[in-house]
Amino acid sequence: MQLTKGVEQALCIIVLLATQESSAPLASDEISKRLGVSPSYMKKIIRKLVVQGIAVSVSGNNGGVSLAKPAADITMLDVIEAMEGPIQMYPDTGLIGLAFHDKQYTEKGQELLRSVFSQGDRLLIEYFSKVTAADLLKEGLGTSNLPTLNWNRETLSDVIDKERDDDK
Amino acid sequence: MQLTKGVEQALCIIVLLATQESSAPLASDEISKRLGVSPSYMKKIIRKLVVQGIAVSVSGNNGGVSLAKPAADITMLDVIEAMEGPIQMYPDTGLIGLAFHDKQYTEKGQELLRSVFSQGDRLLIEYFSKVTAADLLKEGLGTSNLPTLNWNRETLSDVIDKERDDDK
DNA sequence: CACTAATTGGATAAAGAATATCCATAATGG
DNA sequence: CCATTATGGATATTCTTTATCCAATTAGTG
């Protein structure tokens, strides 16, 4: 009943991309360094985000990854499903049918159990589809002006502090 | 994001116990045969139910397992937590702190993410604590009179059909 | 009391999924 | 054409789930 680490990693990647200067795609090797995993593994994670439509990637010189859409349009559900596939709690191995041979009752029971769990699935789907990456960034950083920076050079607090000064 | 097969197995066990003549505990070896797993594995599963307070087991000749309380008092949450421990979706490896070194913002972000996920946990907990084993049995069998039988000898439909005839 | 049926609990093996890496190939821009 | 970067397949590693075996224990039975 736990999400995989991949979800956490994906969320970190999204934070990086959301605060990256939009002109410059961020190289996956740079992300891998920052998250402490191998470049090739990071490319796999990123690939999942690309397939899901969360990120876009360009090969070649000065290539890299960037967000496919505004952070406000990226939901936690998108991220979770990108990494783990559709939310579906019940393993459903058909055990009930195997254990009780009375077809008449087991089919009804099986169906009932499926519907109980899929109702649980729906609760999560509904909840997570309402939380966006933008929500996380806004509340986490304490500012709705998303700072942009080049993650090759700068740190986060440099930029946020600069924005704060600008506001005065 | 999937429950383990153990949950499904536990649910089957509970159905067996709920429809077992209360006088006679059901031998775990009998259950293992029916669910198609090894006797020793079944004992481990049952042990978890005992620890959680869902079932009680008696050693010795003619010993076995029975429910610790009425099916109406056994919730899906009990069953899930018996098999998998507390519901907690977020793996929380502290990756955010590792990836972004600005303590000031990462701690806030970490905390926020935890709260987002624990809200998801709460949704599931609330939902699953409202579905009881009795609900499943009642709707699954189409009768609220729980038939009782000895699983060593009889089949489910024998007994339910008998009960139906009695109703007339 | 000793015997037998049955459960408990610990050690551990086997299978599967998640995590991670390496390497060969393809795409891109200069 | 060359350096840079992503893609995709094969594979190693680690962790969890699933499952088995066996020694210890407990409760009834003769």
Side-chain angles (χ1 to χ4, degrees):
Chain A
M1 205 44 209
Q2 247 197 5
L3 297 165
T4 61
K5 281 204 272 179
V7 174
E8 204 178 14
Q9 294 166 333
L11 287 169
C12 288
I13 294 168
I14 290 170
V15 170
L16 286 170
L17 296 182
T19 54
Q20 172 72 11
E21 287 168 356
S22 55
S23 51
L26 182 54
S28 74
D29 285 16
E30 193 57 41
I31 304 177
S32 74
K33 259 185 251 167
R34 194 163 281 276
L35 298 197
V37 298
S38 79
S40 42
Y41 175 62
M42 180 48 61
K43 281 168 190 136
K44 287 219 185 306
I45 302 285
I46 286 171
R47 183 82 190 116
K48 290 187 183 178
L49 297 178
V50 171
V51 169
Q52 181 79 10
I54 294 173
V56 287
S57 59
V58 263
S59 335
N61 214 342
N62 297 319
V65 197
S66 37
L67 288 186
K69 48 188 177 184
D73 295 348
I74 299 173
T75 68
M76 292 275 301
L77 180 64
D78 293 331
V79 179
I80 292 171
E81 294 199 324
M83 301 309 296
E84 318 219 341
I87 288 183
Q88 203 174 355
M89 278 187 280
Y90 185 45
D92 198 352
T93 63
L95 180 65
I96 294 182
L98 190 139
F100 310 93
H101 305 90
D102 309 86
K103 199 169 256 178
Q104 184 182 4
Y105 299 110
T106 58
E107 275 178 13
K108 206 163 166 188
Q110 188 68 263
E111 202 184 313
L112 175 62
L113 209 46
R114 284 197 192 110
S115 87
V116 165
F117 280 110
S118 74
Q119 178 62 23
D121 292 338
R122 271 196 295 279
L123 281 176
L124 288 184
I125 289 170
E126 195 181 330
Y127 172 63
F128 282 126
S129 65
K130 282 184 186 141
V131 183
T132 71
D135 295 336
L136 294 179
L137 284 161
K138 184 186 164 187
E139 299 205 23
L141 299 179
T143 168
S144 52
N145 295 15
L146 266 196
T148 64
L149 65 157
N150 190 324
W151 279 101
N152 302 315
R153 302 191 305 273
E154 302 176 88
T155 72
L156 197 52
S157 38
D158 285 349
V159 177
I160 292 177
D161 293 348
K162 191 155 59 82
E163 299 254 332
R164 286 260 168 65
D165 294 344
D166 293 351
D167 286 352
K168 288 178 195 162
Chain B
M1 202 46 207
Q2 249 200 3
L3 296 164
T4 61
K5 282 204 272 180
V7 173
E8 202 177 14
Q9 294 165 333
L11 287 169
C12 288
I13 295 169
I14 289 170
V15 170
L16 286 170
L17 296 182
T19 53
Q20 171 73 9
E21 287 169 354
S22 55
S23 51
L26 182 54
S28 73
D29 284 16
E30 193 57 41
I31 305 177
S32 72
K33 257 185 255 168
R34 193 163 283 272
L35 298 198
V37 298
S38 79
S40 41
Y41 174 63
M42 182 47 63
K43 282 168 190 137
K44 283 222 185 307
I45 301 286
I46 288 171
R47 183 85 190 106
K48 290 187 183 178
L49 297 178
V50 171
V51 168
Q52 180 79 9
I54 293 173
V56 287
S57 59
V58 260
S59 315
N61 208 347
N62 297 319
V65 199
S66 36
L67 288 186
K69 49 189 178 185
D73 295 347
I74 299 174
T75 68
M76 293 276 300
L77 181 64
D78 292 332
V79 180
I80 293 172
E81 294 199 324
M83 301 309 294
E84 318 221 341
I87 287 183
Q88 206 175 351
M89 279 187 278
Y90 186 46
D92 199 352
T93 62
L95 179 65
I96 294 183
L98 190 137
F100 309 92
H101 305 88
D102 310 83
K103 199 168 255 177
Q104 182 183 2
Y105 298 109
T106 57
E107 275 178 11
K108 207 163 167 187
Q110 187 68 261
E111 203 184 312
L112 175 62
L113 211 46
R114 283 198 193 108
S115 88
V116 165
F117 280 110
S118 75
Q119 178 61 25
D121 292 338
R122 271 196 295 280
L123 282 175
L124 288 184
I125 289 171
E126 195 182 329
Y127 172 63
F128 282 127
S129 65
K130 280 181 185 146
V131 183
T132 72
D135 296 335
L136 295 178
L137 284 161
K138 184 185 166 189
E139 299 204 24
L141 299 179
T143 167
S144 53
N145 295 15
L146 266 194
T148 64
L149 65 157
N150 190 325
W151 280 101
N152 301 317
R153 303 189 305 270
E154 302 176 88
T155 73
L156 197 52
S157 39
D158 286 350
V159 177
I160 292 179
D161 293 348
K162 191 154 61 81
E163 297 255 330
R164 284 260 168 68
D165 294 344
D166 291 353
D167 286 352
K168 289 176 193 162

